[in-house]
Amino acid sequence: MDLRNSILEGKEIKLANEHTTAADGSVIKESYADTIEKKLVNVSPLYQLVRKIVTENPHNIPVQAGKLGKFVKTGELQKYVNQKANWKTVQLGAEKYTNLVTISEELLNDSGYDLEKELIDQLVEALALTLDELIVKGDGTVEGLETFTKENGAKEVVQGAAGVVTVDEVIDLFYALPVAYRQNACWVISDSMAKLLSKLKDGEGRPVLVQSYINGVLENTILGKPVIINEFVAEMTTDNKCMFFTNLNRALVIGLRKDMVIKKDEAFLEDLVMIKANTRLDIKKLIDESVAYYVAK
């Protein structure tokens, strides 16, 4: 009832009813931002794989653009370091995003209805959808996979013939990604691309995209690496980046702020109460060469 009363009175709400235990044994109420962030990994495979930082302030991240690799003779070390260890600083800011959740007044006043669960479920689903789009496309300020370019170090494979994807091109894209990033890499493609690749056969008649059930869950792989099918990946039309092979943890970092605020909005629609949720986040590129992409001709 505290949540219901706070919403009806137009108060700002930051703390959920879920609790966590501190190091000293005290019980602390979690913020809605913390509760929702924990649930996002089960809804968005992209969010699950990118690097994540939950913070209360702007956050600077030092990023090493190149790997040092092998040992060298001590006398050659400084020269080798200067060539290989390119450091840059990535700053995570706080772009503001807002969504509205609608709840009927009847449910809002029904003490037997789990209002908080409904609110959290809707916010998790909405934020996961938002992050999926931003991770793929960016939005001009927030950076996504589409913002990677060959000019800055990403790897590009261009389609040979318009409308046709070949087995060789898929293999070329796989090997375009440097070996250091392949171990934990994944494919990010659209549903239409998944359909096309499942029909494409290699020289021995095997489909390029392999579907299998593991513990009752359908999983897709290409050349042994997991596939994420995402609705925001561009279709295969001229100049579109329509397939990615990337190590997401090395490619992007998401900064989520801990200050999600929920309150009643002033707008009303029939007997519905509009609940506004504000959150702040940012997504920035880390290592350009950790992304390989396929461009349609």
Side-chain angles (χ1 to χ4, degrees), residues 28 33 55 58 60 92 146 157 160 166 180 190 194 198 204 219 233 245 261 283-285:
I28 304 171
T55 179
N60 291 322
L92 287 171
E146 286 189 1
V157 173
T166 67
S190 67
S198 66
E204 298 182 10
E219 294 194 7
V233 178
F245 185 52
V261 176
I283 305 176
K284 286 292 186 287
K285 296 188 293 183

Side-chain angles (χ1 to χ4, degrees), residues 1-9 11 13 17 29:
M1 290 306 297
D2 287 343
L3 175 62
R4 290 173 167 81
N5 292 336
S6 295
I7 290 174
L8 289 171
E9 294 168 9
K11 295 179 179 178
I13 308 159
N17 280 325
K29 263 193 173 186

Side-chain angles (χ1 to χ4, degrees), residues 107-167:
L107 290 178
L108 192 61
N109 290 298
D110 182 356
S111 60
Y113 178 71
D114 193 340
L115 175 63
E116 184 168 60
K117 181 180 184 303
E118 174 67 20
L119 190 60
I120 289 174
D121 286 348
Q122 287 200 41
L123 290 174
V124 168
E125 183 178 351
L127 186 53
L129 194 65
T130 301
L131 289 172
D132 275 359
E133 182 173 17
L134 292 174
I135 290 169
V136 172
K137 305 185 77 65
D139 68 358
T141 304
V142 169
E143 297 173 336
L145 291 174
E146 286 189 1
T147 67
F148 285 81
T149 63
K150 65 179 182 179
E151 289 77 15
N152 290 324
K155 309 304 177 182
E156 179 181 277
V157 173
V158 179
Q159 189 173 44
V164 179
V165 180
T166 67
V167 174

